[in-house]
Amino acid sequence: MADNPQEAAREGGLDAPLRHPIAWRDEAYYDLAAVEAEMERMFDVCHTCRRCFNLCDSFPRLFEMIDESPTGELDSVNKAQYAKVDEACTLCDMCFMTKCPYVPPHPLDVDIPHIILRYRAAKRKANGGQFIREQLGETDRNGKLAKPVAGLANWATARENTPLRKLLEAIAKIDAEVELPKYHSKTATDRLARPIPPDPAGPAFGRRKAALYATCFVDYNTPDTAVAAAKVLARQGVEAELVYPECCGMPQLEAGDLADVAHRAERVAKTFAPWIDQGYDVVALTASCGLMMKFEWPLLLPENEAVKRLSAAVRDISEYVVDIARDTGLAPGLQPVAGGVAVHHACHARAQNMGAKSAEMLRMIPDTKVDLIERCSGHGGTFGVMKDTHPIALKVGKAAARQVAQKEDATLCSDCPLACKHLGQMLSAETGGEGPRQAHPIQIMAQAYGL
């Protein structure tokens, strides 16, 4: 609470939001009755404000439950209905970062994503996890199993393969209409087993070294992203090596398995410690993983020095290129990208509070139209592919897809590859055509360099 009574009584706040450490090791953290009581307290604040009504489907569900209750207040809403609010939450953090005036250090101490996270952890401890979702979240295992049979796996899961996709929908509850990520027989780790030598003429030569955290999605599903990043950094003279010990645990965080996430954080931080000791920056190739390493891991393990050092060393790939540009300037040779680029600023990039670095980076390409889209794609990991929640993902992402369509750009990119795929599929369905080309922002930079 604030020391000054006038400060405590003020409406809203202008202070930078802060978060409390996550007490996942305390038994009280998993007390479902206590969690629901805290949800009721926070939801009541939301009810009196309603500023967040247009962010996602969680808040409209909450407000509709309240408005249709016998008293029109939260006290007559059955707490069992809180599960509906939880179901629609993708932990995107946008309410916490951009809308809510009552986040800590405000005395009302509202943090909806983290109370939803605690709710999931408590339910998981009481009832066990959701088997299918948790199996989908085993990204390293799935990627390693798919690698030797990538062609067969991609054929079996292709949206055009209607019989098998309908079977998959019946068994695994994965919506048959969702375009699923493809696997590769040569992962990013394979393709960059030998680092690309840095260009001695690059402006950052001898000044920067980067350990590229491939992330599970880039390693198994979009290895071209890692290759593009390595080539762009090499062109700047950066000594870059790909390092991928394991998944950051974002799927496990979304499922409420916080102990698993914490153990991953310990192992990954231990792997990166020698690289940091040698002066390497750590560069994450997807926004969700950067967010985990920068912000969520230190909240789970606030006493772990290796995790704190890693958090301080991590940069998003676009953020890193922009930093190089400001420090030494970029290598010459960038050529215009025809047709324009729509840059979707993913929620997990926005939650890093670093600015729209992908758009800032791409605006360094001469004579290239760059349009920034700052609306949620609605995807949210497994949320966007499961039969029960895919319609909500489409509903939430409709505004972003509409903005992309209005820009009429030839290329669509996003800090989040799943968001890019989701929006691209929505656009294709809307127009009946292929829609814009999809890429990661760093791939657009590689294209502009002719790499």
Side-chain angles (χ1 to χ4, degrees), residues 121-274:
K123 287 199 301 180
R124 188 179 189 280
K125 185 148 189 165
N127 306 317
Q130 299 180 47
F131 179 76
I132 292 174
R133 282 182 182 259
E134 297 202 2
Q135 297 311 304
L136 290 174
E138 292 293 336
T139 52
D140 287 321
R141 180 204 63 193
N142 298 342
K144 289 172 183 174
L145 288 173
K147 178 182 172 180
V149 292
L152 179 61
N154 295 336
W155 170 81
T157 58
R159 192 160 62 95
E160 297 77 16
N161 194 338
T162 305
L164 285 181
R165 283 302 300 269
K166 287 294 184 183
L167 181 63
L168 186 63
E169 181 178 277
I171 296 172
K173 309 302 180 187
I174 297 173
D175 196 298
E177 294 302 314
V178 175
E179 192 76 43
L180 295 175
K182 304 300 182 186
Y183 287 100
H184 293 260
S185 57
K186 279 195 171 183
T187 63
T189 301
D190 296 329
R191 294 177 64 180
L192 292 172
R194 296 180 64 181
I196 298 173
D199 185 348
F205 185 75
R207 304 179 63 172
R208 286 182 183 255
K209 299 186 290 185
L212 301 179
Y213 178 59
T215 77
C216 60
F217 195 87
V218 169
D219 197 35
Y220 303 117
N221 303 113
T222 58
D224 285 349
T225 300
V227 175
K231 287 183 175 181
V232 170
L233 292 184
R235 184 71 182 84
Q236 312 312 316
V238 178
E239 179 186 329
E241 300 224 20
L242 193 77
V243 182
Y244 181 57
E246 62 180 295
C247 170
C248 71
M250 173 62 83
Q252 288 69 33
L253 183 88
E254 292 173 342
D257 190 356
L258 304 185
D260 185 277
V261 180
H263 296 327
R264 290 170 185 265
E266 289 174 328
R267 294 191 297 266
V268 174
K270 186 176 180 180
T271 298
F272 275 105

Side-chain angles (χ1 to χ4, degrees), residues 8 13 44 65 98 143 281 283 329 369 423:
D44 198 44
M65 288 190 304
T98 70
D281 305 306
V283 180
K369 176 175 175 274
L423 290 171

Side-chain angles (χ1 to χ4, degrees), residues 369-386:
K369 176 175 175 274
V370 176
D371 295 305
L372 181 64
I373 310 298
E374 292 190 288
R375 293 294 295 264
C376 181
S377 73
H379 193 277
T382 55
F383 182 88
V385 303
M386 303 305 289

Side-chain angles (χ1 to χ4, degrees), residues 20-36:
H20 308 298
I22 300 171
W24 62 276
R25 286 168 283 203
D26 297 344
E27 280 300 315
Y29 184 82
Y30 303 94
D31 184 332
L32 191 54
V35 177
E36 289 176 340

Side-chain angles (χ1 to χ4, degrees), residues 60-134:
R61 288 183 179 201
L62 172 63
F63 303 145
E64 184 177 358
M65 288 190 304
I66 295 171
D67 293 342
E68 293 181 355
S69 69
T71 64
E73 297 291 343
L74 192 63
D75 59 6
S76 58
V77 173
N78 190 316
K79 288 184 174 59
Q81 294 190 70
Y82 291 178
K84 296 179 182 178
V85 181
D86 164 45
E87 180 191 48
C89 178
T90 62
L91 301 182
C92 74
D93 276 346
M94 286 301 96
C95 58
F96 182 83
M97 291 297 300
T98 70
K99 286 286 187 179
C100 183
Y102 303 116
V103 297
H106 191 278
L108 288 177
D109 198 22
V110 172
D111 185 343
I112 296 300
H114 271 203
I115 194 62
I116 293 291
L117 180 65
R118 185 181 171 191
Y119 181 64
R120 291 179 185 177
K123 287 199 301 180
R124 188 179 189 280
K125 185 148 189 165
N127 306 317
Q130 299 180 47
F131 179 76
I132 292 174
R133 282 182 182 259
E134 297 202 2

Side-chain angles (χ1 to χ4, degrees), residues 90 376-380 383-385 389-398 422 426:
T90 62
C376 181
S377 73
H379 193 277
F383 182 88
V385 303
T389 50
H390 178 61
I392 309 169
L394 293 176
K395 175 183 175 182
V396 173
K398 188 178 294 184
H422 181 63
M426 290 179 69

